Amino acid sequence: MSFGGQTPTIIVLKEGTDQSQGRGQIVSNINACLAVQATIRSTLGPYGGDLLLVDENGRQTITNDGATVMKLLDIVHPAARILTDIARSQDAEVGDGTTSVVVLAGEILKEIKEFVEQGVSSQVIIKGLRRASAMAVNKIKEIAVNTSEGNQRETLRKLAATAMSSKLIHRNSDFFTKMVVDAVLSLDQDDLNEKLIGIKKITGGALQDSLFVNGVAFKKTFSYAGFEQQPKSFKDPKIVCLNVELELKSEKDNAEVRVEQVSEYQAIVDAEWQIIFNKMEALYNTGAKVVLSKLPIGDLATQYFADRDVFCAGRVASDDLERVCQATGASIQSTCSDIQPQHLGTCARFEERQIGGERFNFFEGCPAAKTCTLVLRGGAEQFIAEVERSLHDAIMIVKRAIKNQSIVAGGGACEMEVSAYLHSYADKNVSTKIQSIIKAFAKALEVIPRQLCDNAGFDATDILNRLRVEHRKGNIWAGVDFMNEGIADNMKAFVWEPSLVKVNAIQAAVEAACLILSVDETIKNEESAQPQAPQRGLPPGAAQRALRGRGRGMPRR
């Protein structure tokens, strides 16, 4: 078929589709990631600032936790969202180093940006970065110090203190490191499920008023009349945990019962009452002194138990009830008729206590305690929320340190040693284009100590030069000394971090950089998000009305 010598125009994509590709697209993606990095880098380290984030509802969050910041930032650029993913993966895998991983990924992209602009193939850059990453990880594993010998508790406290050094609670780190280490060591050491550490927040009081409960504590649940007459303290009580409703309810789903005589109606009412009385009597006969249920316990049951010196609480949150079962050895029952003695739990002491403006139920001295509760106090709500985030990071670090007993020095020491090693290796052993990629990666690692110095107000150029000299001499743990504005042996100064934090950060940052480099085309279809008009030939504006519902004056169909 002839088209008069002209090549026909073939339209593949819908009209309105935005298509950008090539080297310019990669540079644009890198610039977007650098903008995100610039936002978060000021929060790194012991002297990093906090960010005040306000969402669309006016809710404020004050934090310097990288994962929280990345989650709350409303990033619209598709490539820059990859940084959010790596921060989330670092938080899930290790729990700390979330800011470091974003700063490092941004710096790697910044260093290799000029190679992209000069026309170096992105595949060559990716190959160089992967090689440098593998060498860096091997070097960290080689220099890491094993902590399996010595005082484990003391080592864990040092690691928790380093994790807290950049947080709001670093002034109270002695108080909280003991709490964190006790909390993790109270868990089952085989699976170390951190979800079994309950964290309860109560405004008011000082940070030092926070409590560690070797057992379970939860806020007093909604209660009916008769609750105040129940005993609030027991020694060695038996505990029953239920998933049963102990309440008289009206018939559901508009059920209809037809009766011809009043006595028949009375028989129905009596039967309902008899059912609930049988349940309560069966529970009382088990000898349990504490009755807990996920479902409501109504006023009739509350008064029944109060008359018999039994404590009850309904509508207990499922995670709290699960932790009570873990601690006391009870098992959740779905019926009241066949409860055996082995289904009941026990604890040394049950008590209801007032803490601040709240009343809490405490289960302490539990025989099977594989769980604990941290009750946090503080002035403002945002402050306590940040304390909780800080403790989460420290708990995760201690958990990882128990499973992977190798540490490195923090304060930029590990990054400077790996950087010096990569520079030396590239000069001696690599002669291809990849040499400059490895050296660029080595330079990018220096962003951690440099940013630590910048955030602390130190002379970054001077300190980095001194660190390079020390590492060339073989002082592998030389890092930034925040106390004396200089450099120090951070291994001796007890600035410790699990090697897993560094390994995971480097691997995640390089993966993100390689992913962003491999994207050289973005196709954005603006119209796909807009629903099409349901009918043709509608007057202007009618299509919008049709989408919302049948507009006024439109014919029924």
Side-chain angles (χ1 to χ4, degrees):
M1 187 183 290
S2 171
F3 288 93
Q6 292 184 348
T7 306
T9 304
I10 300 172
I11 299 173
V12 178
L13 299 173
K14 189 190 271 186
E15 191 178 341
T17 301
D18 176 28
Q19 186 178 8
S20 45
Q21 58 186 346
R23 194 182 310 153
Q25 177 62 48
I26 297 176
V27 172
S28 165
N29 290 345
I30 290 173
N31 289 337
C33 294
L34 292 180
V36 174
Q37 185 216 32
T39 305
I40 202 172
R41 65 191 300 166
S42 62
T43 67
L44 185 71
Y47 292 96
D50 291 350
L51 292 181
L52 171 59
L53 298 149
V54 185
D55 67 9
E56 58 194 4
N57 300 321
R59 205 166 61 108
Q60 303 166 345
T61 306
I62 300 171
T63 183
N64 70 354
D65 179 55
T68 308
V69 171
M70 295 302 292
K71 189 167 67 178
L72 295 175
L73 283 178
D74 193 10
I75 299 171
V76 293
H77 195 282
R81 280 190 199 155
I82 293 168
L83 297 184
T84 306
D85 293 338
I86 61 169
R88 192 178 293 135
S89 78
Q90 179 80 2
D91 192 46
E93 185 63 27
V94 189
D96 196 21
T98 47
T99 306
S100 303
V101 75
V102 176
V103 170
L104 190 55
E107 196 66 17
I108 292 169
L109 291 169
K110 183 179 174 184
E111 291 297 332
I112 58 172
K113 182 179 170 185
E114 61 177 296
F115 296 108
V116 176
E117 290 169 339
Q118 288 165 10
V120 178
S121 166
S122 58
Q123 292 308 316
V124 172
I125 300 172
I126 289 170
K127 188 178 174 185
L129 286 178
R130 289 198 193 283
R131 183 167 170 186
S133 167
M135 288 163 55
V137 168
N138 289 338
K139 182 64 177 174
I140 291 171
K141 288 178 179 175
E142 181 190 316
I143 62 175
V145 177
N146 196 301
T147 59
S148 55
E149 297 174 6
N151 187 341
Q152 185 199 28
R153 183 178 285 271
E154 198 56 37
T155 303
L156 295 176
R157 286 193 66 177
K158 295 281 193 301
L159 289 164
T162 305
M164 288 180 192
S165 65
S166 61
K167 307 296 183 187
L168 211 61
I169 55 175
H170 70 273
R171 291 186 188 85
N172 306 91
S173 60
D174 284 347
F175 177 76
F176 282 109
T177 51
K178 183 178 183 305
M179 187 183 283
V180 164
V181 172
D182 287 346
V184 178
L185 291 179
S186 70
L187 299 177
D188 184 346
Q189 297 300 294
D190 291 330
D191 64 350
L192 288 173
N193 183 3
E194 72 278 358
K195 290 179 182 168
L196 291 176
I197 300 175
I199 297 182
K200 305 296 177 186
K201 297 172 284 189
I202 307 173
T203 50
L207 271 179
Q208 244 75 7
D209 296 335
S210 301
L211 301 172
F212 169 76
V213 181
N214 190 15
V216 183
F218 57 82
K219 197 163 80 168
K220 179 176 90 74
T221 57
F222 177 82
S223 52
Y224 288 89
F227 180 82
E228 292 303 333
Q229 298 163 28
Q230 293 178 353
K232 300 296 189 290
S233 178
F234 290 108
K235 284 191 175 178
D236 300 316
K238 290 181 180 173
I239 300 163
V240 63
C241 298
L242 301 172
N243 189 20
V244 177
E245 193 171 30
L246 298 174
E247 191 171 19
L248 285 169
K249 301 279 274 183
S250 57
E251 288 295 339
K252 293 178 183 174
D253 302 325
N254 299 322
E256 190 175 300
V257 179
R258 298 194 177 190
V259 294
E260 294 180 359
Q261 297 178 2
V262 176
S263 59
E264 291 177 5
Y265 173 71
Q266 188 61 43
I268 294 168
V269 174
D270 290 345
E272 278 188 321
W273 280 69
Q274 195 57 49
I275 289 168
I276 192 168
F277 269 115
N278 289 345
K279 287 180 180 177
M280 294 186 298
E281 195 170 352
L283 289 170
Y284 177 66
N285 290 337
T286 63
K289 284 293 184 182
V290 178
V291 177
L292 305 175
S293 178
K294 284 184 187 179
L295 299 175
I297 294 180
D299 48 2
L300 172 69
T302 303
Q303 191 65 57
Y304 178 93
F305 289 129
D307 293 344
R308 289 158 181 78
D309 283 340
V310 176
F311 174 88
C312 70
R315 294 195 175 105
V316 179
S318 57
D319 58 336
D320 287 332
L321 199 64
E322 183 64 39
R323 290 192 303 110
V324 169
C325 290
Q326 287 276 349
T328 62
S331 52
I332 296 176
Q333 301 298 302
S334 299
T335 176
C336 299
S337 58
D338 186 29
I339 298 178
Q340 304 295 326
Q342 65 266 27
H343 299 151
L344 302 179
T346 186
C347 65
R349 188 170 59 263
F350 166 79
E351 191 179 2
E352 184 175 295
R353 297 209 299 263
Q354 187 84 13
I355 301 183
E358 306 285 356
R359 281 164 71 177
F360 266 70
N361 298 324
F362 285 82
F363 298 81
E364 294 175 290
C366 304
K370 303 281 190 203
T371 179
C372 64
T373 309
L374 307 180
V375 180
L376 304 181
R377 306 296 308 279
E381 218 168 282
Q382 291 95 336
F383 183 77
I384 302 179
E386 178 64 0
V387 171
E388 182 187 10
R389 285 189 286 270
S390 305
L391 289 183
H392 168 262
D393 284 7
I395 285 167
M396 291 295 286
I397 284 290
V398 171
K399 175 185 167 182
R400 296 299 173 199
I402 290 173
K403 291 193 170 181
N404 303 278
Q405 297 181 334
S406 67
I407 60 166
V408 293
C414 183
E415 287 83 2
M416 288 302 293
E417 177 61 23
V418 174
S419 175
Y421 164 71
L422 289 176
H423 273 301
S424 171
Y425 179 87
D427 286 336
K428 292 173 187 172
N429 303 323
V430 186
S431 56
T432 58
K433 286 181 188 174
I434 290 178
Q435 182 193 47
S436 49
I437 307 295
I438 293 174
K439 289 177 80 69
F441 177 81
K443 189 181 175 191
L445 286 173
E446 293 183 355
V447 71
I448 301 295
R450 187 187 308 118
Q451 196 61 46
L452 290 173
C453 293
D454 285 343
N455 290 350
F458 299 164
D459 184 344
T461 309
D462 173 50
I463 289 178
L464 250 67
N465 283 334
R466 287 163 63 188
L467 282 175
R468 288 189 194 107
V469 171
E470 288 297 318
H471 283 273
R472 292 253 162 79
K473 286 180 187 174
N475 297 337
I476 62 172
W477 300 128
V480 182
D481 180 4
F482 293 100
M483 296 297 168
N484 305 309
E485 191 172 342
I487 61 174
D489 185 328
N490 279 351
M491 188 58 79
K492 289 180 181 171
F494 302 118
V495 182
W496 295 350
E497 293 185 68
S499 58
L500 190 69
V501 174
K502 302 299 183 188
V503 168
N504 210 72
I506 287 174
Q507 288 175 333
V510 169
E511 283 300 322
C514 292
L515 190 58
I516 288 161
L517 282 170
S518 64
V519 175
D520 70 341
E521 182 168 358
T522 303
I523 299 172
K524 198 173 180 184
N525 188 357
E526 296 288 354
E527 290 189 4
S528 65
Q530 300 293 329
Q532 299 298 309
Q535 300 175 5
R536 285 187 177 179
L538 292 177
Q544 283 75 15
R545 291 201 301 275
L547 288 172
R548 296 192 200 105
R550 196 170 56 80
R552 180 182 294 178
M554 289 179 64
R556 291 181 181 274
R557 300 193 66 185

